[in-house]
Amino acid sequence: MNDGSLTASGSRQGNPKRCRLVVDHVIPHRGDPALFLDAGNLQTLCPDVAFDEQLNKKVYELRALDCVLLPSESRIRADLSKIDPGLVSAMDAVSVSYVEQRNALVCALEQGDVGALPAGEPSSPDEALRKAIKDIEAQGASLRQGKFDELLAKLKAEHIGLRQRQVLSKNIDDVVTFVEDLAWIEKAGSSRPNTRFITTRQRAVFEQLIAGNYRDLLKKECAKLDCSLPFEFKARGSAGKTLRGLKAKGGHKPSDIFSEGEQRALSLADFLTEVNINPASAAIVLDDPVTSLDHQRKVTIARGLVEESGVRQVIVFTHDLVFLTLLSDHAEAIGRDILGHWVEWKDGVPGYVNINETPANTKIYRKTTKAMEFLNRAKKASGREKVDLVRSGAGALRRTIEEIVVLYLFKDTVRRWNEQIRLGTVTKINWDNDVADEIVALQGDTSRLLEGHSNSDEFAAGMPDVAGLEELITRVDAVIAKAKVERK
């Protein structure tokens, strides 16, 4: 008698949980009722190989069964999310329960444990589906009745609400922090602490440590800028701060005593004093500091700012070419480097910056070095770029020719953008008609390489070439050597 631990082939079953799961006839009944009902003709068996194969197939099919009702990338999920987000959540919950039941069924079949089979019917989102269908039918009825505006307004309101909740969820931490900060600010503002003690002590320290030094430095700066100082130094406290100021003697307003130019000079002296008191001031920026000032004061301020550049970087924005020239001349006189950029309106666009290029930056044009830079770049370029570089070289060469006249031919007697005439250099002028004629010829030849400067339509039709620029540079170098000769 098989006790159920053997398979139909007679081999022993290794898994005890799978024993005695099948009842079989010892003698096949072949439709005989007597053999079929005879208890002595029955035996318990484990599932045989064929049964195992069928069971494994069913388990595989169960594992492959997709229990997700609304896939994440499906169109219906996207549409339902807009129409009824609650229904999507309900169906996702049901999908989770389906997956759990499927997994439990697979586990019970694999282990042969009948008691582990999931009980009860799978849940379904019937109520949520009925509500969604009802809403859709109501919307359909509204559309059929032509209530478009009402339905559209409702959908817009729902969309705005969803959008606001989405934004709020992303920024909730910042909102909470902001509200807490407002509450703290309101609490701090209502306390109204008395700042009199702080103000008094700070003013005393200010008078002791700052005021004396400030007065001395201000006198020095005023002396440098050649401006008088009929003022009294005042310091007063307010809300925990110490404010310093200059008050005219006799109670007069500054505008009653000083001209606009003198007031500007005094303001600049005060600014430079404050800068020098603070050791952290690594640079200063000034915008047209000499507006309304006479020439002599411009000279004084230019000298002062150049000297200041030995301590910290000085950046000056100005429209005054005379003042720019004064800055450049004084910097050159004391061996101080100066870098100038020309900002202009070009082709209808403001803010076009010419790097290291200003009308007062004449030093770099005293030789043909700048023109040679453009020539070397043009030799490596092609097409439109090559033409532009040749023309730029011609423009630089024309500036050099102008410098030849000012610096070498007339021996720097009269400088551009400068009202001063150096009569002492007149005796050095060595006039040469041939040099003068060559300078005029060079001016015309370089102008022809530039757009809009050709006096000959036939010549203007030709494209500027590298060879022509190189030849002009050679001629200019020769003129410089001749023009430098002084009268003996």
Side-chain angles (χ1 to χ4, degrees):
M1 180 70 177
N2 186 354
D3 63 358
S5 63
L6 302 177
T7 65
S9 63
S11 61
R12 182 167 296 277
Q13 173 59 253
N15 186 357
K17 291 185 177 181
R18 304 190 69 178
C19 297
R20 299 183 179 85
L21 296 181
V22 178
V23 177
D24 194 18
H25 294 87
V26 178
I27 302 173
H29 59 82
R30 303 188 188 284
D32 186 346
L35 291 176
F36 179 79
L37 299 174
D38 185 3
N41 193 35
L42 299 176
Q43 62 177 346
T44 57
L45 294 173
C46 288
D48 56 17
V49 176
F51 186 81
D52 278 347
E53 291 179 353
Q54 294 180 5
L55 183 61
N56 290 338
K57 182 179 179 181
K58 293 298 181 183
V59 170
Y60 177 80
E61 292 175 353
L62 283 173
R63 284 184 180 279
L65 184 62
D66 187 2
C67 298
V68 178
L69 300 178
L70 293 176
S72 59
E73 301 299 330
S74 64
R75 177 61 182 272
I76 188 172
R77 182 185 183 89
D79 293 340
L80 282 178
S81 297
K82 299 176 182 178
I83 299 174
D84 193 344
L87 176 60
V88 175
S89 299
M91 297 189 74
D92 286 343
V94 172
S95 296
V96 172
S97 69
Y98 285 174
V99 172
E100 292 174 349
Q101 288 183 328
R102 180 199 64 189
N103 294 340
L105 181 59
V106 169
C107 183
L109 292 176
E110 288 181 335
Q111 296 180 359
D113 187 359
V114 178
L117 290 172
E121 293 292 330
S123 60
S124 62
D126 295 338
E127 184 61 30
L129 282 171
R130 282 193 291 270
K131 181 179 180 303
I133 292 172
K134 183 178 179 181
D135 292 342
I136 292 173
E137 289 177 347
Q139 292 180 6
S142 298
L143 290 174
R144 285 190 294 272
Q145 295 173 7
K147 299 179 179 179
F148 301 107
D149 295 338
E150 180 182 345
L151 182 60
L152 185 60
K154 181 180 178 182
L155 291 175
K156 286 184 177 179
E158 292 177 356
H159 179 266
I160 293 173
L162 290 172
R163 179 59 180 165
Q164 290 174 344
R165 285 196 293 270
Q166 182 184 25
V167 173
L168 183 61
S169 65
K170 291 181 179 180
N171 300 279
I172 188 65
D173 293 338
D174 293 337
V175 173
V176 171
T177 302
F178 178 75
V179 173
E180 291 176 348
D181 289 346
L182 286 179
W184 186 89
I185 292 171
E186 183 178 1
K187 184 177 179 180
S190 62
S191 62
R192 298 290 181 182
N194 192 341
T195 61
R196 181 181 297 277
F197 172 77
I198 299 175
T199 302
T200 302
R201 294 294 296 172
Q202 188 175 13
R203 184 169 57 186
V205 172
F206 183 87
E207 286 282 358
Q208 182 178 356
L209 300 179
I210 304 298
N213 188 30
Y214 180 86
R215 288 190 183 95
D216 295 338
L217 288 175
L218 181 59
K219 288 180 180 179
K220 292 180 181 179
E221 293 297 335
C222 286
K224 289 180 182 179
L225 300 182
D226 192 24
C227 56
S228 57
L229 187 62
F231 279 86
E232 297 176 349
F233 185 83
K234 298 293 183 180
R236 64 181 180 84
S238 175
K241 301 177 182 178
T242 297
L243 308 176
R244 55 97 180 146
L246 298 174
K247 185 177 181 181
K249 295 179 180 180
H252 297 286
K253 296 180 180 179
S255 57
D256 295 337
I257 301 175
F258 296 115
S259 66
E260 182 179 348
E262 290 172 323
Q263 293 179 58
R264 181 175 289 274
L266 183 60
S267 298
L268 181 59
D270 178 60
F271 170 71
L272 292 176
T273 300
E274 186 173 351
V275 167
N276 282 287
I277 287 178
N278 184 4
S281 299
I284 58 175
V285 181
L286 302 105
D287 184 14
D288 270 333
V290 294
T291 302
S292 302
L293 299 185
D294 56 44
H295 179 74
Q296 187 55 45
R297 200 176 295 277
K298 288 181 182 180
V299 173
T300 303
I301 291 177
R303 183 183 300 109
L305 292 180
V306 171
E307 293 174 357
E308 186 71 24
S309 68
V311 181
R312 58 183 55 81
Q313 184 182 23
V314 178
I315 301 172
V316 179
F317 290 89
T318 183
H319 296 84
D320 193 326
L321 293 178
V322 173
F323 180 61
L324 180 60
T325 303
L326 292 172
L327 288 171
S328 179
D329 290 347
H330 191 67
E332 182 180 348
I334 64 174
R336 191 69 47 78
D337 291 333
I338 183 171
L339 184 63
H341 307 310
W342 184 255
V343 184
E344 62 179 335
W345 184 293
K346 189 173 183 179
D347 297 329
V349 179
Y352 186 87
V353 181
N354 298 285
I355 301 298
N356 197 20
E357 174 76 20
T358 69
N361 191 9
T362 61
K363 188 175 181 180
I364 61 174
Y365 292 103
R366 293 175 183 177
K367 297 180 180 180
T368 57
T369 306
K370 194 72 174 177
M372 284 296 299
E373 291 179 4
F374 287 113
L375 174 63
N376 293 331
R377 290 169 57 190
K379 288 180 177 179
K380 300 176 182 179
S382 60
R384 180 65 186 181
E385 181 185 3
K386 183 175 184 177
V387 173
D388 290 341
L389 288 170
V390 170
R391 284 174 174 157
S392 297
L397 203 58
R398 190 170 61 180
R399 284 286 303 274
T400 300
I401 295 171
E402 294 171 356
E403 287 302 309
I404 292 174
V405 174
V406 174
L407 184 65
Y408 301 130
L409 189 61
F410 290 107
K411 302 301 183 282
D412 207 21
T413 300
V414 179
R415 288 189 177 183
R416 181 180 298 185
W417 319 116
N418 196 320
E419 298 177 358
Q420 183 180 1
I421 299 177
R422 296 169 176 80
L423 296 177
T425 63
V426 172
T427 58
K428 297 180 181 180
I429 298 176
N430 182 34
W431 184 260
D432 187 326
N433 289 335
D434 292 337
V435 172
D437 292 342
E438 177 65 0
I439 289 174
V440 173
L442 282 170
Q443 179 73 355
D445 292 341
T446 54
S447 296
R448 291 189 183 96
L449 290 181
L450 299 173
E451 291 180 324
H453 288 84
S454 176
N455 297 319
S456 170
D457 293 337
E458 181 181 356
F459 189 90
M463 298 298 288
D465 61 348
V466 171
L469 177 60
E470 192 167 16
E471 179 186 352
L472 288 175
I473 292 174
T474 302
R475 289 171 59 190
V476 171
D477 285 334
V479 167
I480 290 176
K482 294 178 181 179
K484 279 185 176 181
V485 177
E486 298 181 357
R487 191 179 72 178
K488 296 179 181 180

